[in-house]
Amino acid sequence: MMETVHVGLGARAYDIQIGPGLLGQAGALIAPLLKRPQVRVVTDENVAALHLETLRAGLKAEGIEMEALVLPAGEATKSWPHFERTVEWLLAEKVERRDIVVAFGGGVIGDLTGFAAAVLRRGVRFVQIPTSLLAQVDSSVGGKTGINAPQGKNLIGAFHQPAMVLADTEVLGTLTARDFLAGYGEVVKYGLLGDAAFFDWLEAQGPALAAGDMAARIQAVKRSCEMKAEIVARDETEQGDRALLNLGHTFCHALESATGYGDRLLHGEGVAIGCALAFELSARLGLCAQEEPSRVRAHLAEMGMKVDLKDIEGDLPDAEGLLDLMAQDKKVVDGQLRFILARGIGAAYVTADVPRDVVKALLEEALAARG
Ligand code: GLY
């Protein structure tokens, strides 16, 4: 049942292995990368409680010894203090240039550990073992690593590609329904940005996939990774096309910032709402028919996901306030905000040519609908 997606980056190329039960096979899969039979693993308390012993057994089956650093779960871990602790632990464990560090967890652990690996001894190799759907289809692939700064999310970091990604789709069975659906927001994003047939497939298979259909889960992770791999191979350091992966993210980042990057709005939920808003904006600008945003919304609603600003509980800033937050986006170039718009489902493109008053009117209406 294992599928492989290759990320074609020349000397930094690697494979993403996708399938159920990969934790148990981790030793056999990682062994070819090792110069000595040991790895150091960074994880969080939640993942450790559920899956660390399975990983340990999978490594031990091939005679690979493992020590783990278990960090607190949550976004606050993606910060200088935990970064310092991680780097110092890896040094205390005498991790060498030729060793492998394993990032075992969701996006927070993957980003933090990847960044620690990027700077440790000026760069050691690392393997991503993503345990959330969001990390399997997005953050573990493509080499973006980093931590948050007091000034904003992901402002400190480096591009450092993993040596391998192991996406065990069985592990997804331990996610809460809310976390699973948040990750699904990123899956839908791939269909919307560049593959209309994949979106058609998700409309048909999404409910089965959410209910636990393993073949559908593998296919969804595989197609998402293929699309990301293809874009990253074209534009590793986001000089152009890689920004397509940020469909929905300009709105999402403003909403996450307004809601405090926490439980009120998970990142993937913000991406889903952001994608619906980006399609609505595209229709208003005459780029696509109104049926397109309606179809996006209908699918998100059918999946039981957050679709609109009215699905976010509590206060939100007014339209001007949200526009101000959008202006903090990393995609701002020369003070000009860039959006990912679409000429239809599967046909997104990057542009700076978006009249501010159209965005403002859209946000005002979406806020008014909150009652
Ligand atoms: N998550 C967007 C990217 O990797 O470029």
Side-chain angles (χ1 to χ4, degrees):
M1 273 251 240
M2 190 169 87
E3 297 277 358
T4 303
V5 175
H6 184 68
V7 187
L9 283 169
R12 294 178 310 290
Y14 54 96
D15 285 337
I16 307 164
Q17 309 289 5
I18 302 157
L22 295 194
L23 294 187
Q25 300 169 48
L29 291 165
I30 293 174
L33 300 175
L34 299 178
K35 307 286 186 219
R36 54 177 177 167
Q38 64 172 55
V39 290
R40 294 297 173 261
V41 176
V42 181
T43 188
D44 74 28
E45 286 161 353
N46 294 345
V47 173
L50 289 165
H51 305 299
L52 193 58
E53 289 318 307
T54 311
L55 177 62
R56 191 189 300 280
L59 292 165
K60 200 170 165 206
E62 295 297 315
I64 300 168
E65 175 253 337
M66 174 201 112
E67 293 294 334
L69 173 67
V70 181
L71 298 172
E75 189 71 27
T77 296
K78 236 175 96 169
S79 58
W80 282 124
H82 291 287
F83 176 71
E84 183 179 3
R85 184 173 162 205
T86 303
V87 171
E88 290 191 351
W89 179 74
L90 292 169
L91 288 172
E93 289 290 319
K94 302 193 171 52
V95 170
E96 297 177 3
R97 264 260 179 91
R98 287 148 50 102
D99 289 332
I100 290 277
V101 174
V102 175
F104 185 38
V108 167
I109 290 295
D111 286 6
L112 171 102
T113 310
F115 186 36
V119 300
L120 189 77
R121 302 189 196 280
R122 297 208 179 92
V124 301
R125 294 171 304 155
F126 79 116
V127 168
Q128 289 268 18
I129 307 187
T131 55
S132 66
L133 179 58
L134 189 132
Q136 293 193 355
V137 298
D138 183 32
S139 57
S140 70
V141 175
K144 279 189 181 174
T145 73
I147 57 173
N148 301 328
Q151 291 82 353
K153 264 188 85 167
N154 296 328
L155 293 183
I156 305 154
F159 286 99
H160 186 52
Q161 299 292 342
M164 177 184 276
V165 181
L166 300 183
D168 184 339
T169 45
E170 202 172 301
V171 165
L172 301 176
T174 57
L175 297 177
T176 63
R178 187 178 177 197
D179 281 330
F180 186 88
L181 284 179
Y184 185 77
E186 296 276 7
V187 175
V188 172
K189 178 193 80 176
Y190 289 105
L192 296 178
L193 77 86
D195 187 348
F198 183 45
F199 186 77
D200 293 346
W201 184 85
L202 290 171
E203 283 181 319
Q205 301 297 326
L209 193 156
D213 182 321
M214 187 56 79
R217 286 183 173 192
I218 294 168
Q219 180 55 27
V221 174
K222 179 178 176 224
R223 184 65 195 129
S224 300
C225 288
E226 280 172 353
M227 290 190 69
K228 180 148 187 184
E230 200 257 310
I231 292 172
V232 167
R234 240 175 25 224
D235 177 22
E236 185 180 6
T237 57
E238 201 168 312
Q239 306 303 311
D241 268 9
R242 185 165 178 163
L244 288 172
L245 296 170
N246 291 324
L247 175 63
H249 284 61
T250 308
F251 290 108
C252 170
H253 289 152
L255 295 170
E256 280 187 287
S257 172
T259 52
Y261 297 101
D263 216 40
R264 266 180 77 198
L265 184 73
L266 304 179
H267 176 70
E269 293 173 336
V271 170
I273 295 173
C275 284
L277 285 168
F279 268 76
E280 190 64 45
L281 181 58
S282 302
R284 286 183 187 208
L285 292 169
L287 294 164
C288 64
Q290 185 58 45
E291 284 75 44
E292 306 283 283
S294 302
R295 204 176 144 199
V296 176
R297 281 211 166 83
H299 180 53
L300 299 177
E302 199 203 343
M303 294 298 290
M305 297 166 73
K306 291 185 169 56
V307 182
D308 289 303
L309 298 193
K310 66 176 157 45
D311 300 325
I312 303 172
E313 282 173 21
D315 292 339
L316 285 178
D318 62 10
E320 276 298 339
L322 287 173
L323 277 163
D324 283 350
L325 292 172
M326 286 162 102
Q328 305 287 341
D329 196 277
K330 281 200 292 306
K331 290 190 297 303
V332 172
V333 178
D334 296 334
Q336 186 84 3
L337 194 56
R338 288 188 301 160
F339 277 89
I340 320 302
L341 296 178
R343 297 192 178 89
I345 287 172
Y349 68 103
V350 187
T351 179
D353 187 19
V354 179
R356 194 176 190 279
D357 55 331
V358 182
V359 184
K360 190 174 170 202
L362 173 67
L363 290 171
E364 276 168 350
E365 275 175 47
L367 288 164
R370 283 161 54 85

